[in-house]
Amino acid sequence: MKELRVSAIKDGTVIDHIPSKSTFKVVEVLNLSKLDDAVMVAQNLKSKKMKLKGIVKVAGKELTQEEVNKIALLAPTATVNIIKNYSVRKKMNLELPEMLKGIIKCANPKCITNNDMVETKFHVRSTKPLRVQCHYCERYMTENDLEIL
């Protein structure tokens, strides 16, 4: 059986164990197509842990906490590995914070965040299934309602 090999990166970030269907959503919300450094994306890879998975390798970039939180919304099973000189220096299992600021848009068109220059704030009420509540208008939203900023 032939095995596909993806080259190692010297410095950067590897996002692994992404649910296969969410792989390109992660690439999109992180705006990786605009980077000058190498970005490697693989989808539908066999995985013992989750049948099929995706993986994203980003050379020369360490993710911000806001970017990690966006990934946690889309792919809570993912792991984020920080690579330095070809070795894993830090491995993070994703966890949503209790409050999400400036990451998702409120689905309520009358919410102040959609009409004034006010940063969105959402309280995470549950993670499985995902349920968040707008701090301002108190609207509840689920995974299907999310629009990531």
Side-chain angles (χ1 to χ4, degrees), residues 33-97:
S33 62
K34 295 189 177 172
L35 290 180
D36 291 333
D37 291 311
V39 176
M40 293 163 265
V41 180
Q43 185 179 28
N44 294 330
L45 301 173
K46 287 187 179 13
S47 167
K48 293 175 191 163
K49 192 172 165 182
M50 52 194 308
K51 286 189 180 178
L52 295 175
K53 71 174 184 176
I55 187 169
V56 177
K57 291 185 173 191
V58 187
K61 178 172 176 54
E62 194 169 320
L63 299 179
T64 65
Q65 187 59 52
E66 182 180 301
E67 290 170 322
V68 170
N69 289 345
K70 287 179 181 181
I71 296 167
L73 278 169
L74 294 169
T77 58
T79 55
V80 174
N81 300 297
I82 306 303
I83 310 299
K84 299 276 188 210
N85 203 25
Y86 295 105
S87 66
V88 176
R89 293 296 158 108
K90 185 176 178 184
K91 184 173 190 154
M92 296 179 272
N93 291 315
L94 301 185
E95 210 174 277
L96 283 175

